[in-house]
Coordinates of all heavy atoms in Angstrom, one line a residue:
M1 N -59.3 2.3 10.8 CA -58.7 3.6 11.3 C -57.7 4.1 10.3 O -56.9 3.3 9.7 CB -58.1 3.2 12.6 CG -57.3 4.4 13.1 SD -56.4 4.0 14.7 CE -57.8 3.7 15.8
I2 N -57.8 5.4 10.0 CA -56.9 6.0 9.1 C -55.7 6.7 9.9 O -56.0 7.4 10.8 CB -57.6 7.0 8.1 CG1 -58.6 6.2 7.3 CG2 -56.6 7.7 7.3 CD1 -59.5 7.1 6.4
I3 N -54.5 6.3 9.5 CA -53.3 6.9 10.1 C -52.5 7.7 9.0 O -52.2 7.1 8.0 CB -52.5 5.8 10.8 CG1 -53.3 5.1 11.8 CG2 -51.2 6.5 11.4 CD1 -52.6 3.9 12.4
N4 N -52.3 8.9 9.3 CA -51.6 9.7 8.2 C -50.2 10.0 8.5 O -49.5 10.5 7.6 CB -52.4 11.0 8.0 CG -53.8 10.8 7.5 OD1 -54.0 10.2 6.4 ND2 -54.8 11.3 8.2
T5 N -49.7 9.9 9.7 CA -48.3 10.3 10.0 C -47.7 9.3 10.9 O -48.3 8.4 11.5 CB -48.3 11.6 10.8 OG1 -48.9 11.5 12.1 CG2 -49.0 12.8 10.0
N6 N -46.3 9.3 10.9 CA -45.6 8.4 11.8 C -46.0 8.6 13.2 O -46.0 7.7 14.0 CB -44.0 8.6 11.6 CG -43.6 8.3 10.2 OD1 -44.4 8.0 9.3 ND2 -42.3 8.4 10.0
S7 N -46.1 9.8 13.6 CA -46.5 10.2 15.0 C -47.9 9.6 15.4 O -48.0 9.0 16.5 CB -46.6 11.7 15.1 OG -47.0 12.0 16.4
E8 N -48.8 9.7 14.5 CA -50.1 9.0 14.7 C -50.0 7.5 14.8 O -50.6 6.8 15.7 CB -51.1 9.3 13.5 CG -51.6 10.8 13.6 CD -52.5 11.1 12.4 OE1 -52.8 10.2 11.6 OE2 -52.9 12.2 12.3
L9 N -49.2 6.9 14.0 CA -48.9 5.5 14.0 C -48.3 5.1 15.4 O -48.8 4.1 16.0 CB -47.9 5.1 12.9 CG -47.6 3.6 12.8 CD1 -48.8 2.7 12.7 CD2 -46.6 3.4 11.7
S10 N -47.3 5.8 15.9 CA -46.7 5.6 17.2 C -47.8 5.7 18.3 O -47.8 4.9 19.2 CB -45.6 6.5 17.4 OG -45.0 6.3 18.7
Q11 N -48.6 6.7 18.2 CA -49.6 6.9 19.2 C -50.6 5.7 19.3 O -51.0 5.2 20.3 CB -50.4 8.2 19.0 CG -49.6 9.5 19.3 CD -50.3 10.7 18.7 OE1 -51.4 10.7 18.4 NE2 -49.6 11.8 18.9
V12 N -51.0 5.2 18.1 CA -51.9 4.1 18.0 C -51.3 2.8 18.6 O -51.9 2.1 19.4 CB -52.4 3.9 16.5 CG1 -53.1 2.5 16.4 CG2 -53.3 5.0 16.1
V13 N -50.0 2.6 18.3 CA -49.3 1.5 18.8 C -49.2 1.6 20.3 O -49.5 0.6 21.1 CB -47.9 1.3 18.2 CG1 -47.1 0.2 18.9 CG2 -48.0 0.9 16.7
S14 N -49.0 2.7 20.8 CA -48.9 2.9 22.3 C -50.3 2.6 22.9 O -50.4 2.0 24.0 CB -48.5 4.4 22.6 OG -47.2 4.6 22.3
L15 N -51.3 3.1 22.3 CA -52.7 2.8 22.8 C -53.0 1.3 22.8 O -53.6 0.8 23.7 CB -53.7 3.6 21.9 CG -55.2 3.4 22.3 CD1 -55.4 3.9 23.7 CD2 -56.1 4.1 21.4
L16 N -52.6 0.6 21.7 CA -52.9 -0.8 21.6 C -52.1 -1.6 22.7 O -52.6 -2.5 23.3 CB -52.5 -1.3 20.2 CG -53.4 -0.9 19.1 CD1 -52.8 -1.3 17.7 CD2 -54.8 -1.6 19.3
I17 N -50.9 -1.1 23.0 CA -50.1 -1.7 24.1 C -50.9 -1.5 25.4 O -51.0 -2.4 26.2 CB -48.7 -1.1 24.2 CG1 -47.8 -1.5 23.0 CG2 -48.0 -1.5 25.5 CD1 -46.5 -0.8 22.8
K18 N -51.3 -0.3 25.7 CA -52.1 0.0 26.9 C -53.3 -0.8 27.1 O -53.6 -1.3 28.2 CB -52.4 1.5 27.0 CG -51.2 2.4 27.3 CD -51.7 3.9 27.3 CE -50.5 4.8 27.4 NZ -50.8 6.2 27.4
T19 N -54.0 -1.0 26.0 CA -55.3 -1.8 26.1 C -55.1 -3.3 26.0 O -56.0 -4.0 26.2 CB -56.3 -1.3 25.0 OG1 -55.7 -1.5 23.7 CG2 -56.6 0.2 25.2
S20 N -53.9 -3.7 25.7 CA -53.6 -5.1 25.4 C -53.6 -6.0 26.7 O -53.7 -7.1 26.7 CB -52.3 -5.4 24.7 OG -51.2 -5.1 25.6
G21 N -53.3 -5.3 27.8 CA -53.1 -6.0 29.1 C -51.7 -6.5 29.3 O -51.3 -6.9 30.4
Y22 N -50.8 -6.2 28.3 CA -49.4 -6.6 28.5 C -48.6 -5.4 29.0 O -48.9 -4.2 28.6 CB -48.8 -7.0 27.1 CG -49.2 -8.3 26.5 CD1 -50.3 -8.4 25.6 CD2 -48.6 -9.5 26.9 CE1 -50.7 -9.6 25.1 CE2 -49.0 -10.7 26.4 CZ -50.0 -10.7 25.5 OH -50.5 -11.9 25.0
K23 N -47.6 -5.6 29.8 CA -46.8 -4.6 30.3 C -45.7 -4.3 29.3 O -45.2 -5.2 28.6 CB -46.2 -5.0 31.6 CG -47.2 -5.2 32.7 CD -46.5 -5.3 34.1 CE -47.5 -5.4 35.2 NZ -48.3 -4.2 35.5
K24 N -45.3 -3.0 29.2 CA -44.3 -2.6 28.3 C -42.9 -3.4 28.6 O -42.2 -3.7 27.7 CB -44.0 -1.1 28.4 CG -44.9 -0.2 27.6 CD -44.5 1.2 27.6 CE -45.3 2.0 26.7 NZ -44.8 3.4 26.7
T25 N -42.7 -3.7 29.9 CA -41.5 -4.5 30.2 C -41.5 -5.8 29.5 O -40.5 -6.3 29.0 CB -41.4 -4.6 31.7 OG1 -41.5 -3.3 32.3 CG2 -40.1 -5.2 32.1
Y26 N -42.7 -6.5 29.5 CA -42.8 -7.8 28.9 C -42.5 -7.7 27.4 O -41.8 -8.4 26.8 CB -44.1 -8.4 29.2 CG -44.4 -9.6 28.4 CD1 -43.9 -10.9 28.7 CD2 -45.2 -9.6 27.2 CE1 -44.1 -12.0 28.0 CE2 -45.4 -10.7 26.4 CZ -44.9 -11.9 26.8 OH -45.1 -13.1 26.1
I27 N -43.2 -6.7 26.8 CA -43.0 -6.5 25.3 C -41.6 -6.2 24.9 O -41.1 -6.8 24.0 CB -44.0 -5.4 24.8 CG1 -45.5 -5.9 25.0 CG2 -43.7 -5.0 23.4 CD1 -46.5 -4.8 24.8
A28 N -41.0 -5.3 25.7 CA -39.6 -5.0 25.5 C -38.7 -6.3 25.6 O -37.8 -6.5 24.7 CB -39.1 -3.9 26.5
D29 N -38.9 -7.1 26.6 CA -38.2 -8.3 26.8 C -38.3 -9.3 25.6 O -37.3 -9.8 25.1 CB -38.6 -9.0 28.1 CG -37.7 -10.2 28.4 OD1 -36.5 -10.0 28.5 OD2 -38.3 -11.3 28.6
Q30 N -39.5 -9.4 25.1 CA -39.8 -10.3 24.0 C -39.1 -9.7 22.7 O -38.7 -10.6 21.8 CB -41.3 -10.3 23.7 CG -42.1 -11.0 24.8 CD -41.6 -12.4 25.1 OE1 -41.6 -13.3 24.2 NE2 -41.2 -12.7 26.3
L31 N -38.8 -8.5 22.6 CA -38.1 -7.9 21.5 C -36.6 -7.8 21.7 O -35.9 -7.3 20.8 CB -38.7 -6.5 21.2 CG -40.2 -6.5 20.8 CD1 -40.7 -5.0 20.8 CD2 -40.4 -7.1 19.5
G32 N -36.2 -8.1 22.9 CA -34.7 -8.0 23.2 C -34.3 -6.6 23.4 O -33.2 -6.2 23.2
L33 N -35.2 -5.8 24.0 CA -35.0 -4.4 24.3 C -35.2 -4.2 25.8 O -35.9 -5.0 26.4 CB -36.0 -3.5 23.5 CG -36.0 -3.5 22.0 CD1 -37.2 -2.7 21.5 CD2 -34.7 -3.0 21.5
T34 N -34.7 -3.1 26.3 CA -35.0 -2.6 27.6 C -36.3 -1.9 27.5 O -36.8 -1.5 26.4 CB -33.9 -1.7 28.2 OG1 -33.9 -0.6 27.4 CG2 -32.6 -2.4 28.3
R35 N -37.0 -1.6 28.6 CA -38.2 -0.8 28.6 C -37.9 0.6 28.1 O -38.7 1.1 27.3 CB -38.7 -0.7 30.1 CG -39.7 0.4 30.4 CD -41.0 0.1 29.7 NE -41.9 1.2 29.8 CZ -42.7 1.6 30.8 NH1 -42.8 0.8 31.9 NH2 -43.5 2.6 30.8
Q36 N -36.7 1.1 28.4 CA -36.4 2.4 27.9 C -36.1 2.4 26.4 O -36.4 3.3 25.6 CB -35.1 2.9 28.6 CG -35.3 3.3 30.1 CD -35.2 2.0 31.0 OE1 -34.9 0.9 30.5 NE2 -35.4 2.3 32.2
G37 N -35.6 1.3 25.9 CA -35.3 1.1 24.5 C -36.6 1.0 23.7 O -36.8 1.6 22.6
L38 N -37.7 0.4 24.3 CA -39.0 0.3 23.7 C -39.5 1.7 23.6 O -40.1 2.2 22.6 CB -39.9 -0.6 24.5 CG -41.3 -0.7 23.9 CD1 -41.4 -1.1 22.5 CD2 -42.2 -1.6 24.8
D39 N -39.5 2.5 24.7 CA -40.0 3.9 24.7 C -39.3 4.7 23.7 O -39.9 5.5 23.0 CB -39.9 4.5 26.1 CG -40.8 3.9 27.1 OD1 -41.9 3.4 26.7 OD2 -40.6 4.0 28.3
K40 N -38.0 4.5 23.6 CA -37.2 5.3 22.6 C -37.7 5.0 21.1 O -37.8 5.8 20.3 CB -35.7 5.0 22.7 CG -34.8 5.8 21.9 CD -33.4 5.5 22.2 CE -32.4 6.3 21.2 NZ -31.0 6.1 21.5
L41 N -37.9 3.7 20.9 CA -38.4 3.2 19.6 C -39.7 3.9 19.3 O -40.0 4.4 18.2 CB -38.5 1.7 19.6 CG -39.0 1.1 18.3 CD1 -38.1 1.4 17.1 CD2 -39.1 -0.5 18.5
L42 N -40.6 3.9 20.2 CA -42.0 4.5 20.0 C -41.9 6.0 19.8 O -42.8 6.5 19.2 CB -42.9 4.2 21.3 CG -43.4 2.8 21.4 CD1 -43.9 2.5 22.8 CD2 -44.4 2.5 20.3
K43 N -40.9 6.6 20.3 CA -40.8 8.1 20.1 C -39.9 8.5 19.0 O -39.8 9.8 18.7 CB -40.2 8.7 21.4 CG -41.2 8.6 22.5 CD -40.7 9.1 23.8 CE -41.7 8.9 25.0 NZ -41.1 9.1 26.3
K44 N -39.3 7.6 18.3 CA -38.4 8.0 17.2 C -39.2 8.7 16.1 O -40.3 8.3 15.8 CB -37.5 6.9 16.7 CG -38.1 5.9 15.7 CD -37.0 4.9 15.3 CE -37.5 4.2 14.0 NZ -36.5 3.2 13.5
Q45 N -38.6 9.7 15.5 CA -39.3 10.5 14.5 C -39.6 9.7 13.3 O -40.7 10.0 12.6 CB -38.4 11.7 14.1 CG -39.1 12.8 13.2 CD -38.3 14.0 13.1 OE1 -37.1 14.1 13.6 NE2 -38.8 15.0 12.5
S46 N -38.8 8.8 12.9 CA -39.1 8.0 11.7 C -39.7 6.7 12.0 O -39.5 5.7 11.3 CB -37.8 7.8 10.9 OG -36.8 7.1 11.7
F47 N -40.6 6.6 13.0 CA -41.3 5.4 13.4 C -42.1 4.8 12.1 O -42.7 5.5 11.4 CB -42.3 5.7 14.5 CG -42.9 4.5 15.1 CD1 -42.2 3.7 16.0 CD2 -44.3 4.1 14.8 CE1 -42.8 2.6 16.6 CE2 -44.8 3.0 15.4 CZ -44.1 2.2 16.3
S48 N -41.8 3.6 11.8 CA -42.3 3.0 10.5 C -43.3 1.9 10.7 O -43.5 1.4 11.9 CB -41.1 2.5 9.8 OG -40.6 1.3 10.4
L49 N -43.9 1.4 9.7 CA -44.7 0.3 9.7 C -44.0 -1.0 10.2 O -44.5 -1.8 10.9 CB -45.3 -0.1 8.3 CG -46.4 0.9 7.8 CD1 -46.8 0.5 6.3 CD2 -47.6 0.8 8.7
D50 N -42.7 -1.1 9.8 CA -41.9 -2.2 10.3 C -41.7 -2.2 11.8 O -41.8 -3.2 12.5 CB -40.5 -2.2 9.6 CG -40.6 -2.6 8.2 OD1 -41.5 -3.3 7.7 OD2 -39.6 -2.3 7.5
D51 N -41.5 -0.9 12.3 CA -41.4 -0.8 13.8 C -42.6 -1.1 14.4 O -42.6 -1.9 15.5 CB -41.0 0.7 14.1 CG -39.6 1.1 13.6 OD1 -38.7 0.3 13.6 OD2 -39.5 2.3 13.3
A52 N -43.8 -0.7 13.9 CA -45.1 -0.9 14.5 C -45.3 -2.4 14.5 O -45.7 -3.0 15.6 CB -46.2 -0.2 13.7
N53 N -45.1 -3.1 13.4 CA -45.4 -4.5 13.4 C -44.5 -5.4 14.2 O -44.9 -6.4 14.7 CB -45.5 -5.0 11.9 CG -46.7 -4.6 11.2 OD1 -47.8 -4.6 11.8 ND2 -46.7 -4.2 10.0
K54 N -43.2 -4.9 14.3 CA -42.3 -5.6 15.2 C -42.9 -5.6 16.7 O -42.9 -6.7 17.3 CB -40.9 -4.9 15.2 CG -39.9 -5.5 16.1 CD -38.6 -4.7 15.9 CE -37.6 -5.1 16.9 NZ -36.4 -4.3 16.8
I55 N -43.4 -4.4 17.1 CA -43.9 -4.4 18.5 C -45.3 -5.1 18.6 O -45.5 -5.9 19.5 CB -44.1 -2.9 18.8 CG1 -42.7 -2.2 18.9 CG2 -44.8 -2.7 20.1 CD1 -42.7 -0.7 18.9
L56 N -46.1 -4.9 17.6 CA -47.4 -5.4 17.7 C -47.4 -6.9 17.5 O -48.4 -7.6 18.0 CB -48.3 -4.8 16.6 CG -48.6 -3.3 16.8 CD1 -49.4 -2.8 15.6 CD2 -49.4 -3.1 18.1
S57 N -46.5 -7.6 16.9 CA -46.4 -9.0 16.8 C -46.4 -9.7 18.2 O -47.0 -10.8 18.3 CB -45.2 -9.4 16.0 OG -44.0 -9.2 16.7
V58 N -45.9 -9.0 19.2 CA -45.9 -9.6 20.5 C -47.3 -9.6 21.1 O -47.6 -10.5 21.9 CB -44.9 -8.7 21.4 CG1 -45.0 -9.2 22.9 CG2 -43.5 -8.6 21.0
I59 N -48.1 -8.8 20.8 CA -49.5 -8.8 21.3 C -50.5 -9.2 20.2 O -51.7 -9.0 20.3 CB -50.0 -7.4 21.8 CG1 -49.9 -6.3 20.8 CG2 -49.1 -7.0 23.0 CD1 -50.4 -5.0 21.2
N60 N -50.0 -9.9 19.2 CA -50.9 -10.6 18.2 C -51.7 -9.6 17.4 O -52.9 -9.8 17.1 CB -51.7 -11.7 18.7 CG -50.9 -12.8 19.3 OD1 -49.9 -13.2 18.7 ND2 -51.2 -13.2 20.6
K61 N -51.1 -8.5 17.0 CA -51.8 -7.4 16.2 C -50.8 -7.1 15.0 O -49.7 -7.4 15.1 CB -52.1 -6.2 17.0 CG -52.9 -6.4 18.2 CD -54.3 -6.1 17.9 CE -55.2 -6.1 19.2 NZ -56.4 -6.6 19.0
K62 N -51.3 -6.5 14.0 CA -50.5 -5.9 12.9 C -51.1 -4.8 12.3 O -52.3 -4.5 12.4 CB -50.2 -7.0 11.9 CG -51.3 -7.4 11.1 CD -50.9 -8.5 10.1 CE -52.0 -8.9 9.2 NZ -51.6 -9.9 8.2
V63 N -50.3 -4.0 11.6 CA -50.7 -2.8 10.8 C -50.5 -3.2 9.4 O -49.5 -3.8 9.0 CB -49.8 -1.6 11.2 CG1 -50.2 -0.4 10.3 CG2 -50.0 -1.3 12.7
V64 N -51.5 -2.8 8.6 CA -51.4 -2.9 7.1 C -51.6 -1.6 6.4 O -52.3 -0.7 6.9 CB -52.4 -4.0 6.5 CG1 -52.0 -5.4 7.0 CG2 -53.8 -3.6 6.8
A65 N -51.0 -1.4 5.3 CA -51.1 -0.1 4.6 C -52.1 -0.3 3.4 O -52.1 -1.4 2.8 CB -49.8 0.3 4.0
Q66 N -52.8 0.7 3.1 CA -53.7 0.7 2.0 C -53.5 2.0 1.2 O -53.4 3.1 1.7 CB -55.2 0.7 2.5 CG -56.1 0.6 1.3 CD -57.6 0.5 1.9 OE1 -57.8 -0.1 2.9 NE2 -58.5 1.1 1.2
L67 N -53.2 1.8 -0.1 CA -53.0 2.9 -1.0 C -54.4 3.4 -1.6 O -55.1 2.5 -2.2 CB -52.1 2.5 -2.1 CG -51.6 3.6 -3.1 CD1 -51.0 4.7 -2.4 CD2 -50.7 3.0 -4.2
E68 N -54.6 4.7 -1.5 CA -55.9 5.2 -2.1 C -55.6 6.3 -3.0 O -54.7 7.1 -2.8 CB -56.8 5.6 -0.9 CG -57.3 4.5 0.0 CD -58.2 4.9 1.0 OE1 -58.4 6.1 1.2 OE2 -58.8 4.1 1.7
N69 N -56.5 6.6 -3.9 CA -56.5 7.8 -4.8 C -57.0 8.9 -4.0 O -58.0 8.7 -3.2 CB -57.2 7.6 -6.0 CG -56.6 6.6 -7.0 OD1 -55.4 6.4 -7.0 ND2 -57.4 5.8 -7.7
E70 N -56.5 10.1 -4.2 CA -57.1 11.3 -3.5 C -58.1 11.9 -4.3 O -58.2 12.0 -5.5 CB -55.9 12.3 -3.2 CG -55.0 11.8 -2.2 CD -54.1 12.9 -1.7 OE1 -53.4 13.4 -2.5 OE2 -54.1 13.1 -0.5

């Protein structure tokens, strides 16, 4: 899957959470966040690979970057 923007990355992470079977409350708790804190993290404008991998580690997934020539 090709992800081009921070917003797309956040959307993919949200989708993976929904399809994982884990509740956001559980994921937030594992990260030391409130449910609202997790939602705020997912909506932040500068959502990063580090943010994504922090969240995805709870559901045993990860994001990797690939550099390509245009």
